[in-house]
Amino acid sequence: MRGSNRWNWPAIKGVSLLVYVSMLVPLAVIVINSFNAARIPSFPPTEYSLKWHKEFFADDVFINSLFNRVQVGIWSAVIAGLIGTVTAMGFVRKKFPLKNMLSIAMLTPMLVPPVIIGVSSTIFFVEIGWERSVWWLIVMHALIALPYTFLIMRSRFYMFDESLEDAAMTLGADRLTTFREVTSPLVAPSIVTAMVLAFVISFGEFTATQFWVKRTTTTVPVVIYSMVRTLITPKVNVLATLVLGVTILIPIIGIIIQRFVLSRGGRA
Amino acid sequence: MPKTSPLNRGQFTRSGIRRGCWEDRLPLVASSVPRLWDSVKASIITTLVVLPFGYTLGYFLARTKSKLMPVLLGLVVVQFWVPLVIRTYAWITLLGQNGVINQALMSIGIVNEPIQLLYTTNGMILGLVVSIMPFMVLPVYSAVSTIDEEVINAAKTLGASDLRAFYEVTLPLSWPGIVSGILFTFILSAGSFVAPTLLGGPEDRLIAPVIATVFTTDFNWPFAAALSMVYVLLLAGMLYLFTRKADLEEALEGTQL
């Protein structure tokens, strides 16, 4: 009987559809509005044009902020990915005191509101006399992304079959060679996943980031936010559309890299 | 120095901290209690709205037999990748006086003139709910999809109605997903900054925007620090209550697929 395990299925479908509409329609409106010719955006547009796209690409601020963002994202993804991997390995394989408390401590950046991360780190950096630079962003974004990379890598190491390493060492490989030849190819796909996630988190972070930027190191969400708050120009829709494209493309590229790493690891 | 005057940035020195100005700052902090209450209230409302909708979609994704299921799941995951600022400001065009929602309401005939949606508490809650939704959908999806359908069928064979089978089998078994979703919804909405400032009205001054204003506009760093501390203590207390009912670490792992 088809309906037996489907409790109120049509109602469930209807509510689900409603949730999809609420999540996707706003994004669709942004993309459509970036082609809107009118200065004061109304929807649906009465006239379409590419003039905001042209103005957008003539403006350095946007291109710079986008470039900045990608740069910060890549650096913090690499840092968070590596630290997360090493820490997760330690947490899974070694015994040490206060382990439970320390693993909660690793996750605190997920629990502390971003405004407080932004305020407290700014006070701290100023106190120790560290000049505001792009490194503030890289270090702090790596910190914010660290719990996520840590969790991904920890569950990977839980599943790891350590007898493979033992086999390599019995056959005469030292620890470093074992790590290079056995451990790292096996966990590489998860590292890629972790780094892609870290990049996405860094790319989209706004609330804490607004405290760390200065004019030359500004980032896309900060630019969009200040444009929306002050003068709404249709160019903001072009920037958002571009970011939508990037944020959807990057994980897809990540998946392709992961497949590639996986296929190489499988052969080795 | 008068008690209520904003302390300037220069006074924030090591010695200044050690000297301790809690007595001076206490009235200021006390004046922010309504802001804290507003934040807690907004997060409770958000959680109450997100829970049923997020659960339904998560349940749908776990139980649907549709071939489009990977695409539908992907559409939820994509929401994590799109920056929060973009997902929130998108509502400005929709909620405005001439926005799509007002046009739709007027064309159906529910209202005769545009109603104020943008810059109201309802607008803010709507923005919060939609932006946080994926954090409820994904944990519920992974919890429900691990429930063996045979268990539910067994309950029904033994005479349970659909409703009873749901309440006594599916719901308890998907509890870890619900807990994880509630935790994320609460943390994210209690700390929300973007939705209140872009969609909320002048009366929607939640604690996060207040701290940011005190910090960047008034340059009153010690007050911002004091506010942050009170706020963190409040959240820590709530998290402590949470850990008595559920495992915090397990809940935090819930958004992973």
Side-chain angles (χ1 to χ4, degrees), chain A residues 1-9, chain B residues 59 63 148-170:
Chain A
M1 176 166 75
R2 188 184 153 79
S4 69
N5 51 8
R6 306 202 155 195
W7 179 69
N8 264 351
W9 195 242
Chain B
Y59 183 91
R63 285 282 174 254
D148 191 348
E149 277 190 62
E150 290 307 311
V151 180
I152 299 159
N153 287 336
K156 285 179 191 162
T157 314
L158 294 171
S161 66
D162 279 5
L163 196 67
R164 180 127 185 258
F166 176 77
Y167 276 111
E168 297 204 6
V169 182
T170 310

mmCIF file of all heavy atoms in Angstrom, chain A residues 1-9, chain B residues 59 63 148-170:
data_model
loop_
_atom_site.group_PDB
_atom_site.id
_atom_site.type_symbol
_atom_site.label_atom_id
_atom_site.label_comp_id
_atom_site.label_asym_id
_atom_site.label_seq_id
_atom_site.Cartn_x
_atom_site.Cartn_y
_atom_site.Cartn_z
ATOM 1 N N MET A 1 0.854 -1.203 0.000
ATOM 2 C CA MET A 1 0.000 0.000 0.000
ATOM 3 C C MET A 1 0.884 1.244 0.000
ATOM 4 O O MET A 1 1.710 1.414 0.885
ATOM 5 C CB MET A 1 -0.907 -0.050 1.229
ATOM 6 C CG MET A 1 -1.773 1.141 1.413
ATOM 7 S SD MET A 1 -3.045 0.764 2.642
ATOM 8 C CE MET A 1 -2.114 0.826 4.151
ATOM 9 N N ARG A 2 0.733 2.071 -1.007
ATOM 10 C CA ARG A 2 1.655 3.181 -1.214
ATOM 11 C C ARG A 2 1.623 4.189 -0.071
ATOM 12 O O ARG A 2 2.659 4.678 0.363
ATOM 13 C CB ARG A 2 1.298 3.871 -2.539
ATOM 14 C CG ARG A 2 2.311 4.917 -2.952
ATOM 15 C CD ARG A 2 1.862 5.646 -4.208
ATOM 16 N NE ARG A 2 2.424 6.976 -4.250
ATOM 17 C CZ ARG A 2 3.650 7.247 -4.613
ATOM 18 N NH1 ARG A 2 4.463 6.286 -4.953
ATOM 19 N NH2 ARG A 2 4.110 8.491 -4.628
ATOM 20 N N GLY A 3 0.437 4.468 0.403
ATOM 21 C CA GLY A 3 0.334 5.532 1.396
ATOM 22 C C GLY A 3 0.683 5.089 2.812
ATOM 23 O O GLY A 3 0.685 5.911 3.714
ATOM 24 N N SER A 4 1.013 3.806 3.009
ATOM 25 C CA SER A 4 1.113 3.309 4.370
ATOM 26 C C SER A 4 2.205 3.978 5.184
ATOM 27 O O SER A 4 2.004 4.321 6.324
ATOM 28 C CB SER A 4 1.350 1.799 4.347
ATOM 29 O OG SER A 4 2.634 1.540 3.841
ATOM 30 N N ASN A 5 3.398 4.175 4.555
ATOM 31 C CA ASN A 5 4.456 4.792 5.337
ATOM 32 C C ASN A 5 4.618 6.272 4.980
ATOM 33 O O ASN A 5 5.655 6.853 5.164
ATOM 34 C CB ASN A 5 5.773 4.045 5.143
ATOM 35 C CG ASN A 5 6.084 3.862 3.682
ATOM 36 O OD1 ASN A 5 5.387 4.425 2.826
ATOM 37 N ND2 ASN A 5 7.110 3.095 3.382
ATOM 38 N N ARG A 6 3.591 6.855 4.416
ATOM 39 C CA ARG A 6 3.702 8.261 4.012
ATOM 40 C C ARG A 6 2.618 9.053 4.702
ATOM 41 O O ARG A 6 1.518 9.209 4.213
ATOM 42 C CB ARG A 6 3.559 8.383 2.499
ATOM 43 C CG ARG A 6 4.557 7.477 1.834
ATOM 44 C CD ARG A 6 4.820 7.917 0.450
ATOM 45 N NE ARG A 6 6.140 7.444 0.082
ATOM 46 C CZ ARG A 6 6.794 7.898 -0.958
ATOM 47 N NH1 ARG A 6 6.261 8.830 -1.713
ATOM 48 N NH2 ARG A 6 7.984 7.449 -1.240
ATOM 49 N N TRP A 7 3.005 9.517 5.840
ATOM 50 C CA TRP A 7 2.072 10.242 6.683
ATOM 51 C C TRP A 7 1.813 11.624 6.091
ATOM 52 O O TRP A 7 2.721 12.439 5.971
ATOM 53 C CB TRP A 7 2.669 10.329 8.081
ATOM 54 C CG TRP A 7 1.820 11.059 9.039
ATOM 55 C CD1 TRP A 7 0.639 10.661 9.538
ATOM 56 C CD2 TRP A 7 2.105 12.310 9.611
ATOM 57 N NE1 TRP A 7 0.164 11.599 10.397
ATOM 58 C CE2 TRP A 7 1.044 12.624 10.458
ATOM 59 C CE3 TRP A 7 3.169 13.223 9.486
ATOM 60 C CZ2 TRP A 7 0.996 13.795 11.184
ATOM 61 C CZ3 TRP A 7 3.125 14.374 10.202
ATOM 62 C CH2 TRP A 7 2.041 14.657 11.054
ATOM 63 N N ASN A 8 0.574 11.871 5.677
ATOM 64 C CA ASN A 8 0.197 13.175 5.137
ATOM 65 C C ASN A 8 1.124 13.689 4.043
ATOM 66 O O ASN A 8 1.544 14.831 4.057
ATOM 67 C CB ASN A 8 0.193 14.196 6.268
ATOM 68 C CG ASN A 8 -1.206 14.355 6.816
ATOM 69 O OD1 ASN A 8 -2.162 13.827 6.243
ATOM 70 N ND2 ASN A 8 -1.315 15.084 7.907
ATOM 71 N N TRP A 9 1.449 12.818 3.112
ATOM 72 C CA TRP A 9 2.468 13.131 2.123
ATOM 73 C C TRP A 9 2.210 14.412 1.309
ATOM 74 O O TRP A 9 3.134 15.219 1.148
ATOM 75 C CB TRP A 9 2.667 11.912 1.220
ATOM 76 C CG TRP A 9 3.920 11.979 0.414
ATOM 77 C CD1 TRP A 9 4.011 12.008 -0.933
ATOM 78 C CD2 TRP A 9 5.274 12.031 0.906
ATOM 79 N NE1 TRP A 9 5.330 12.072 -1.323
ATOM 80 C CE2 TRP A 9 6.118 12.084 -0.208
ATOM 81 C CE3 TRP A 9 5.833 12.048 2.187
ATOM 82 C CZ2 TRP A 9 7.508 12.168 -0.101
ATOM 83 C CZ3 TRP A 9 7.223 12.123 2.301
ATOM 84 C CH2 TRP A 9 8.036 12.177 1.164
ATOM 85 N N TYR B 59 12.448 15.740 6.451
ATOM 86 C CA TYR B 59 11.705 14.484 6.374
ATOM 87 C C TYR B 59 11.396 14.143 4.927
ATOM 88 O O TYR B 59 11.593 13.011 4.480
ATOM 89 C CB TYR B 59 10.414 14.620 7.190
ATOM 90 C CG TYR B 59 9.575 13.368 7.247
ATOM 91 C CD1 TYR B 59 9.747 12.448 8.276
ATOM 92 C CD2 TYR B 59 8.628 13.103 6.269
ATOM 93 C CE1 TYR B 59 8.994 11.295 8.330
ATOM 94 C CE2 TYR B 59 7.868 11.946 6.316
ATOM 95 C CZ TYR B 59 8.055 11.061 7.344
ATOM 96 O OH TYR B 59 7.308 9.925 7.387
ATOM 97 N N ARG B 63 12.640 10.807 2.794
ATOM 98 C CA ARG B 63 11.663 9.777 2.454
ATOM 99 C C ARG B 63 11.225 9.773 0.991
ATOM 100 O O ARG B 63 10.586 8.820 0.547
ATOM 101 C CB ARG B 63 10.418 9.938 3.338
ATOM 102 C CG ARG B 63 10.618 9.470 4.766
ATOM 103 C CD ARG B 63 10.547 7.969 4.871
ATOM 104 N NE ARG B 63 10.884 7.507 6.213
ATOM 105 C CZ ARG B 63 12.036 6.916 6.526
ATOM 106 N NH1 ARG B 63 12.944 6.721 5.601
ATOM 107 N NH2 ARG B 63 12.270 6.515 7.755
ATOM 108 N N ASP B 148 15.198 2.958 9.796
ATOM 109 C CA ASP B 148 14.777 1.861 8.940
ATOM 110 C C ASP B 148 13.256 1.912 8.757
ATOM 111 O O ASP B 148 12.514 1.909 9.737
ATOM 112 C CB ASP B 148 15.188 0.538 9.608
ATOM 113 C CG ASP B 148 15.028 -0.629 8.654
ATOM 114 O OD1 ASP B 148 14.390 -0.437 7.596
ATOM 115 O OD2 ASP B 148 15.549 -1.715 8.973
ATOM 116 N N GLU B 149 12.807 1.948 7.510
ATOM 117 C CA GLU B 149 11.367 2.066 7.275
ATOM 118 C C GLU B 149 10.606 0.848 7.786
ATOM 119 O O GLU B 149 9.418 0.930 8.076
ATOM 120 C CB GLU B 149 11.077 2.277 5.782
ATOM 121 C CG GLU B 149 11.218 3.736 5.376
ATOM 122 C CD GLU B 149 10.712 3.997 3.973
ATOM 123 O OE1 GLU B 149 9.505 3.789 3.741
ATOM 124 O OE2 GLU B 149 11.517 4.383 3.125
ATOM 125 N N GLU B 150 11.333 -0.283 7.902
ATOM 126 C CA GLU B 150 10.695 -1.496 8.414
ATOM 127 C C GLU B 150 10.185 -1.294 9.837
ATOM 128 O O GLU B 150 9.156 -1.849 10.223
ATOM 129 C CB GLU B 150 11.685 -2.666 8.392
ATOM 130 C CG GLU B 150 12.014 -3.154 6.980
ATOM 131 C CD GLU B 150 10.759 -3.477 6.176
ATOM 132 O OE1 GLU B 150 9.896 -4.194 6.713
ATOM 133 O OE2 GLU B 150 10.640 -2.992 5.036
ATOM 134 N N VAL B 151 10.938 -0.490 10.611
ATOM 135 C CA VAL B 151 10.535 -0.229 11.999
ATOM 136 C C VAL B 151 9.184 0.460 12.018
ATOM 137 O O VAL B 151 8.297 0.120 12.808
ATOM 138 C CB VAL B 151 11.600 0.635 12.710
ATOM 139 C CG1 VAL B 151 11.188 0.909 14.147
ATOM 140 C CG2 VAL B 151 12.960 -0.032 12.677
ATOM 141 N N ILE B 152 9.031 1.453 11.104
ATOM 142 C CA ILE B 152 7.770 2.197 11.050
ATOM 143 C C ILE B 152 6.647 1.280 10.561
ATOM 144 O O ILE B 152 5.539 1.282 11.100
ATOM 145 C CB ILE B 152 7.929 3.426 10.142
ATOM 146 C CG1 ILE B 152 9.007 4.338 10.732
ATOM 147 C CG2 ILE B 152 6.625 4.181 10.000
ATOM 148 C CD1 ILE B 152 9.610 5.278 9.764
ATOM 149 N N ASN B 153 6.969 0.457 9.550
ATOM 150 C CA ASN B 153 5.965 -0.481 9.045
ATOM 151 C C ASN B 153 5.536 -1.462 10.126
ATOM 152 O O ASN B 153 4.363 -1.803 10.220
ATOM 153 C CB ASN B 153 6.527 -1.256 7.847
ATOM 154 C CG ASN B 153 6.617 -0.362 6.623
ATOM 155 O OD1 ASN B 153 5.897 0.623 6.519
ATOM 156 N ND2 ASN B 153 7.523 -0.689 5.712
ATOM 157 N N ALA B 154 6.502 -1.879 10.938
ATOM 158 C CA ALA B 154 6.189 -2.806 12.024
ATOM 159 C C ALA B 154 5.189 -2.180 12.982
ATOM 160 O O ALA B 154 4.206 -2.819 13.379
ATOM 161 C CB ALA B 154 7.466 -3.186 12.767
ATOM 162 N N ALA B 155 5.423 -0.905 13.306
ATOM 163 C CA ALA B 155 4.508 -0.207 14.212
ATOM 164 C C ALA B 155 3.103 -0.174 13.624
ATOM 165 O O ALA B 155 2.112 -0.360 14.320
ATOM 166 C CB ALA B 155 5.020 1.209 14.465
ATOM 167 N N LYS B 156 3.036 0.041 12.297
ATOM 168 C CA LYS B 156 1.720 0.140 11.664
ATOM 169 C C LYS B 156 1.046 -1.224 11.566
ATOM 170 O O LYS B 156 -0.183 -1.329 11.704
ATOM 171 C CB LYS B 156 1.860 0.761 10.276
ATOM 172 C CG LYS B 156 2.118 2.260 10.384
ATOM 173 C CD LYS B 156 2.291 2.885 9.041
ATOM 174 C CE LYS B 156 2.799 4.295 9.199
ATOM 175 N NZ LYS B 156 3.386 4.792 7.957
ATOM 176 N N THR B 157 1.867 -2.264 11.329
ATOM 177 C CA THR B 157 1.302 -3.604 11.296
ATOM 178 C C THR B 157 0.671 -3.949 12.633
ATOM 179 O O THR B 157 -0.350 -4.622 12.708
ATOM 180 C CB THR B 157 2.411 -4.641 10.989
ATOM 181 O OG1 THR B 157 3.188 -4.147 9.915
ATOM 182 C CG2 THR B 157 1.827 -5.986 10.646
ATOM 183 N N LEU B 158 1.314 -3.460 13.687
ATOM 184 C CA LEU B 158 0.798 -3.720 15.032
ATOM 185 C C LEU B 158 -0.382 -2.821 15.368
ATOM 186 O O LEU B 158 -0.835 -2.795 16.509
ATOM 187 C CB LEU B 158 1.907 -3.553 16.069
ATOM 188 C CG LEU B 158 3.032 -4.580 15.966
ATOM 189 C CD1 LEU B 158 4.188 -4.213 16.870
ATOM 190 C CD2 LEU B 158 2.514 -5.975 16.303
ATOM 191 N N GLY B 159 -0.833 -2.034 14.390
ATOM 192 C CA GLY B 159 -2.069 -1.299 14.585
ATOM 193 C C GLY B 159 -1.948 0.183 14.861
ATOM 194 O O GLY B 159 -2.954 0.840 15.126
ATOM 195 N N ALA B 160 -0.741 0.722 14.800
ATOM 196 C CA ALA B 160 -0.597 2.157 15.039
ATOM 197 C C ALA B 160 -1.082 2.931 13.814
ATOM 198 O O ALA B 160 -0.871 2.514 12.683
ATOM 199 C CB ALA B 160 0.857 2.500 15.329
ATOM 200 N N SER B 161 -1.741 4.068 14.057
ATOM 201 C CA SER B 161 -2.139 4.919 12.948
ATOM 202 C C SER B 161 -0.893 5.642 12.425
ATOM 203 O O SER B 161 0.155 5.638 13.073
ATOM 204 C CB SER B 161 -3.173 5.928 13.417
ATOM 205 O OG SER B 161 -2.566 6.798 14.348
ATOM 206 N N ASP B 162 -1.014 6.275 11.236
ATOM 207 C CA ASP B 162 0.109 7.029 10.678
ATOM 208 C C ASP B 162 0.625 8.041 11.683
ATOM 209 O O ASP B 162 1.816 8.171 11.907
ATOM 210 C CB ASP B 162 -0.340 7.770 9.397
ATOM 211 C CG ASP B 162 -0.335 6.836 8.208
ATOM 212 O OD1 ASP B 162 -0.087 5.630 8.416
ATOM 213 O OD2 ASP B 162 -0.580 7.304 7.090
ATOM 214 N N LEU B 163 -0.326 8.753 12.289
ATOM 215 C CA LEU B 163 0.033 9.823 13.217
ATOM 216 C C LEU B 163 0.768 9.259 14.433
ATOM 217 O O LEU B 163 1.805 9.750 14.844
ATOM 218 C CB LEU B 163 -1.245 10.544 13.669
ATOM 219 C CG LEU B 163 -1.039 11.905 14.316
ATOM 220 C CD1 LEU B 163 -0.508 12.894 13.293
ATOM 221 C CD2 LEU B 163 -2.356 12.414 14.888
ATOM 222 N N ARG B 164 0.216 8.157 14.971
ATOM 223 C CA ARG B 164 0.799 7.546 16.159
ATOM 224 C C ARG B 164 2.194 6.993 15.841
ATOM 225 O O ARG B 164 3.133 7.153 16.632
ATOM 226 C CB ARG B 164 -0.140 6.442 16.647
ATOM 227 C CG ARG B 164 0.321 5.720 17.868
ATOM 228 C CD ARG B 164 -0.718 5.688 18.964
ATOM 229 N NE ARG B 164 -0.120 5.059 20.135
ATOM 230 C CZ ARG B 164 -0.364 3.799 20.493
ATOM 231 N NH1 ARG B 164 -1.225 3.060 19.823
ATOM 232 N NH2 ARG B 164 0.236 3.284 21.541
ATOM 233 N N ALA B 165 2.344 6.363 14.666
ATOM 234 C CA ALA B 165 3.649 5.830 14.265
ATOM 235 C C ALA B 165 4.668 6.958 14.169
ATOM 236 O O ALA B 165 5.829 6.810 14.560
ATOM 237 C CB ALA B 165 3.540 5.108 12.922
ATOM 238 N N PHE B 166 4.208 8.109 13.668
ATOM 239 C CA PHE B 166 5.123 9.248 13.562
ATOM 240 C C PHE B 166 5.562 9.716 14.943
ATOM 241 O O PHE B 166 6.751 9.880 15.215
ATOM 242 C CB PHE B 166 4.458 10.394 12.795
ATOM 243 C CG PHE B 166 5.310 11.626 12.738
ATOM 244 C CD1 PHE B 166 6.382 11.690 11.876
ATOM 245 C CD2 PHE B 166 5.051 12.707 13.565
ATOM 246 C CE1 PHE B 166 7.190 12.818 11.836
ATOM 247 C CE2 PHE B 166 5.854 13.838 13.531
ATOM 248 C CZ PHE B 166 6.917 13.883 12.662
ATOM 249 N N TYR B 167 4.579 9.915 15.849
ATOM 250 C CA TYR B 167 4.915 10.453 17.162
ATOM 251 C C TYR B 167 5.700 9.492 18.021
ATOM 252 O O TYR B 167 6.523 9.893 18.828
ATOM 253 C CB TYR B 167 3.641 10.897 17.899
ATOM 254 C CG TYR B 167 3.213 12.265 17.500
ATOM 255 C CD1 TYR B 167 2.053 12.478 16.767
ATOM 256 C CD2 TYR B 167 4.013 13.369 17.816
ATOM 257 C CE1 TYR B 167 1.677 13.745 16.375
ATOM 258 C CE2 TYR B 167 3.645 14.640 17.423
ATOM 259 C CZ TYR B 167 2.478 14.828 16.706
ATOM 260 O OH TYR B 167 2.130 16.081 16.321
ATOM 261 N N GLU B 168 5.431 8.177 17.846
ATOM 262 C CA GLU B 168 6.069 7.238 18.760
ATOM 263 C C GLU B 168 7.298 6.549 18.177
ATOM 264 O O GLU B 168 8.075 5.971 18.925
ATOM 265 C CB GLU B 168 5.043 6.199 19.226
ATOM 266 C CG GLU B 168 3.942 6.896 19.998
ATOM 267 C CD GLU B 168 3.227 5.983 20.958
ATOM 268 O OE1 GLU B 168 3.661 4.834 21.103
ATOM 269 O OE2 GLU B 168 2.234 6.424 21.554
ATOM 270 N N VAL B 169 7.474 6.614 16.865
ATOM 271 C CA VAL B 169 8.647 5.960 16.278
ATOM 272 C C VAL B 169 9.554 6.970 15.573
ATOM 273 O O VAL B 169 10.697 7.182 15.970
ATOM 274 C CB VAL B 169 8.236 4.838 15.296
ATOM 275 C CG1 VAL B 169 9.476 4.157 14.737
ATOM 276 C CG2 VAL B 169 7.329 3.840 15.986
ATOM 277 N N THR B 170 9.034 7.621 14.529
ATOM 278 C CA THR B 170 9.881 8.496 13.718
ATOM 279 C C THR B 170 10.436 9.664 14.530
ATOM 280 O O THR B 170 11.635 9.926 14.513
ATOM 281 C CB THR B 170 9.083 9.040 12.516
ATOM 282 O OG1 THR B 170 8.452 7.953 11.871
ATOM 283 C CG2 THR B 170 9.997 9.756 11.548
#
